Amino acid sequence: MNYYINEHSLRGQFEKADDFWNSIREYTLPALKKIESNNENVIWKKDSLWQTAVCEDYTLAQLLNAKGGKNERSGITAALKIKLLKLVNQEPYWSIDEGSEVEVCEYGFDFPYSKTFPKVNCFTEAIANEGRILSFVHENYKRDTLEFIVIINGKEKNLCLDNIYSKEWWKKEPLIKTWRLEGGYLIEIRSNEYTYHPPHFHVSYNEFEAVFRLADGQLYRSGKKNPSPKFFQVIREWYGENAEFLQNAWNEFHESSMHEST
């Protein structure tokens, strides 16, 4: 599963650095640990995330590189800094220069600030790759879902993204049916899908991801990194033996859309 850090949820809302570190310790870090507990999960961030404002006096980069104060005697804040430094400095990144296949015509949250969102942002990236949003603590992002109106194939569609700002979100996590293959391949049928997509299943292997059609097992779309021919061979052979199980799992979650696609 792809997770996208919400760069718009960090824009100077904290009065002081201690407030930021307290929110990281109580909300953000437990959520990060939950995500990282699954090796198949990938956390994406904007390539300029380090420039975002934390409070009036500090950007994220300045705060992470600032000398420790009295609160670091216990080592708690120092440990949080190390964790965030690793996250910010570790690939993968996305860039606004890459463009996006998703056009959002209305954001159903964070108004009026959402009027200033660039055309390419964490939300368009998450929509394009069927990912989830990971937000810092912000009053406008203390919600489980984010609503959008987007243009897909020339038509307006209403969509929602999962939004996570604390570990509590997983108590209401949408259902996912998984199969684990030898060699580290993970196959998923997800209950929370956009209805404009044909019935499909997700495959991940290390840093590679792809989506395949249920109807014929053919590639629907791949991630930012193209898998090897062996990747497709393994999935093609497995699909040939397990197509019925995949279709049954999809039917369990999306019976109406399965009928519409036939």
Side-chain angles (χ1 to χ4, degrees), residues 139-157:
E139 285 302 316
N140 291 349
Y141 291 97
K142 287 185 176 180
R143 51 197 298 168
D144 294 331
T145 58
L146 304 172
E147 300 78 27
F148 307 80
I149 298 178
V150 302
I151 298 178
I152 303 291
N153 298 326
K155 296 182 179 180
E156 289 190 356
K157 300 283 186 179

Side-chain angles (χ1 to χ4, degrees), residues 7-8 46-48 94-100 118-122 124-125:
E7 66 273 12
H8 298 293
K46 187 179 180 182
D47 56 4
S48 60
W94 62 267
S95 171
I96 60 173
D97 297 329
E98 297 173 354
S100 176
K119 184 176 180 180
V120 180
N121 53 55
C122 61
T124 59
E125 290 291 299

Side-chain angles (χ1 to χ4, degrees), residues 66-74 77 81:
K67 293 183 179 180
K70 62 180 181 179
N71 285 345
E72 288 189 289
R73 293 174 184 172
S74 64
T77 303
K81 280 188 177 182

Side-chain angles (χ1 to χ4, degrees), residues 2-147:
N2 288 306
Y3 290 81
Y4 293 83
I5 293 182
N6 180 2
E7 66 273 12
H8 298 293
S9 65
L10 192 61
R11 54 178 192 254
Q13 69 265 34
F14 298 97
E15 290 189 13
K16 51 188 179 181
D18 283 349
D19 296 333
F20 172 70
W21 291 122
N22 288 337
S23 76
I24 293 295
R25 182 177 64 253
E26 184 176 355
Y27 294 96
T28 312
L29 185 59
L32 280 171
K33 287 182 176 179
K34 176 67 176 179
I35 293 170
E36 292 175 341
S37 67
N38 186 333
N39 292 332
E40 283 85 17
N41 291 335
V42 180
I43 301 175
W44 292 82
K45 72 283 298 183
K46 187 179 180 182
D47 56 4
S48 60
L49 178 66
W50 53 274
Q51 295 177 327
T52 53
V54 173
C55 53
E56 183 177 352
D57 298 325
Y58 290 102
T59 64
L60 183 58
Q62 290 171 331
L63 192 60
L64 291 176
N65 292 298
K67 293 183 179 180
K70 62 180 181 179
N71 285 345
E72 288 189 289
R73 293 174 184 172
S74 64
I76 295 177
T77 303
L80 293 174
K81 280 188 177 182
I82 292 172
K83 180 66 178 178
L84 278 188
L85 274 169
K86 179 181 178 182
L87 178 67
V88 172
N89 292 323
Q90 189 176 48
E91 293 185 346
Y93 302 99
W94 62 267
S95 171
I96 60 173
D97 297 329
E98 297 173 354
S100 176
E101 64 186 59
V102 175
E103 180 182 352
V104 178
C105 52
E106 184 176 328
Y107 294 89
F109 56 91
D110 204 1
F111 186 83
Y113 184 79
S114 57
K115 293 288 187 180
T116 68
F117 288 170
K119 184 176 180 180
V120 180
N121 53 55
C122 61
F123 310 116
T124 59
E125 290 291 299
I127 292 171
N129 296 286
E130 298 184 69
R132 291 170 174 166
I133 295 296
L134 175 62
S135 293
F136 292 98
V137 174
H138 189 290
E139 285 302 316
N140 291 349
Y141 291 97
K142 287 185 176 180
R143 51 197 298 168
D144 294 331
T145 58
L146 304 172
E147 300 78 27

